[in-house]
Amino acid sequence: MTYLVTGANRGIGLEFTRELLKRGESVVATARDPESAEELQALQKENPERLTLFSLDIADLASIEAFVNEIGARAINVLINNAGILERCGALGDIDFEVIERSFQVNTIGTLRLTEALLPSLRRAEGGAKIVNLSSKMGSIAENSSGGSYAYRASKAALNMVTRSLALDLADEGIIAFVVHPGWVQTRMGGPNALIDTETSVTSLLDVIDGADASTSGSFQEWNGNTIAW
Ligand SMILES: NC(=O)c1ccc[n+]([C@@H]2O[C@H](COP(=O)([O-])OP(=O)(O)OC[C@H]3O[C@@H](n4cnc5c(N)ncnc54)[C@H](OP(=O)(O)O)[C@@H]3O)[C@@H](O)[C@H]2O)c1
């Protein structure tokens, strides 16, 4: 099986790449600057046949087009849209709308644009394909009991809606799409006080992804297998 992972140079994306290689999968790993991604480069040296690295900035249309052109006719069985940003936009009364725009450009628009551009590769996967979008519990409207975080919450809630439409629009083609919350994970984004490490999150998320079928499509899954309310 071929997996495509965005934002594979660090954090959860790097761990996805590591765990998938461990179990013998082929991985197309993307990063904004793969040349300086030391851990990814090391994995590439250990797995030259199964790991290919590409440069990709999902907020840049030209970068998406160049990447899709480079991978050509390759089939993708599982697309893991992991790349995302969490930037503080300030509290109500002092909101930085540039941060809101940037968050939508990456978390929502970039993810959808890449997914759309990769549809031919997903359609080429025998036996159907899976689109897994890394969202967050912070994007759940039902779970929002503390307010704030306008940029991150809204861009992930919009990603949830985008994913639901993808699930419906692609159902007849055997392509499923769902969002996952990886837990509060120790990464640059999650910080050192987060509750779980990347290995715990990703190995459990891979169980969720492996088990996903048509009944999972259009749903919001937690890393530990629970379903989250929208
Ligand atoms: N950690 C958590 O607790 C947590 C909780 C809920 C959801 N999530 C979600 O899980 C995903 C991974 O999070 P993480 O904790 O691993 O975050 P992270 O350590 O901050 O890593 C984010 C990754 O996204 C990449 N990225 C950012 N902007 C990009 C762009 N325009 N194009 C391509 N790649 C871009 C980064 O690349 P650069 O190195 O080039 O910046 C990096 O590889 C995110 O979508 C996040 O929202 C994380």
Side-chain angles (χ1 to χ4, degrees):
M1 294 250 282
T2 299
Y3 290 70
L4 194 157
V5 182
T6 62
N9 54 307
R10 59 185 165 98
I12 294 168
L14 177 64
E15 190 67 36
F16 264 119
T17 306
R18 192 180 286 127
E19 298 300 330
L20 287 165
L21 290 170
K22 256 193 230 169
R23 64 181 220 187
E25 314 286 0
S26 292
V27 183
V28 174
T30 75
R32 286 195 285 193
D33 183 11
E35 302 299 314
S36 68
E38 286 173 18
E39 284 156 295
L40 208 48
Q41 294 283 350
L43 284 175
Q44 215 276 323
K45 285 201 180 76
E46 289 162 24
N47 303 274
E49 308 285 304
R50 289 187 292 111
L51 177 59
T52 40
L53 306 185
F54 291 93
S55 167
L56 174 64
D57 180 342
I58 64 164
D60 178 350
L61 176 57
S63 174
I64 290 180
E65 286 174 348
F67 165 67
V68 170
N69 204 29
E70 265 186 284
I71 64 162
R74 194 160 177 173
I76 303 293
N77 301 86
V78 182
L79 166 61
I80 301 180
N81 280 311
N82 165 77
I85 56 169
L86 190 172
E87 283 184 34
R88 311 273 166 217
C89 64
L92 188 60
D94 190 26
I95 292 176
D96 182 342
F97 284 90
E98 282 182 12
V99 172
I100 300 213
E101 277 184 26
R102 222 166 23 245
S103 302
F104 272 85
Q105 282 299 341
V106 178
N107 295 345
T108 317
I109 298 169
T111 302
L112 178 58
R113 192 173 258 162
L114 176 67
T115 304
E116 185 182 50
L118 285 171
L119 282 176
S121 293
L122 294 164
R123 287 182 173 128
R124 259 179 232 120
E126 270 180 46
K130 299 179 184 181
I131 299 165
V132 184
N133 291 337
L134 271 282
S135 182
S136 169
K137 223 176 206 177
M138 287 185 73
S140 161
I141 292 171
E143 294 271 344
N144 185 355
S145 55
S146 55
S149 301
Y150 289 88
Y152 191 66
R153 284 191 190 282
S155 62
K156 290 294 192 183
L159 175 65
N160 292 350
M161 183 59 90
V162 155
T163 310
R164 180 78 173 200
S165 282
L166 286 170
L168 292 165
D169 290 345
L170 297 169
D172 289 348
E173 300 187 57
I175 299 175
I176 67 167
F178 57 102
V179 288
V180 295
H181 168 64
W184 184 20
V185 190
Q186 292 146 11
T187 62
R188 203 180 296 176
M189 184 185 290
N193 298 327
L195 296 177
I196 54 174
D197 60 20
T198 55
E199 187 179 353
T200 305
S201 171
V202 167
T203 51
S204 190
L205 279 173
L206 284 173
D207 287 341
V208 172
I209 295 168
D210 290 344
D213 59 19
S215 67
T216 317
S217 200
S219 72
F220 193 169
Q221 299 293 311
E222 196 166 6
W223 65 284
N224 54 13
N226 291 337
T227 297
I228 300 176
W230 293 113

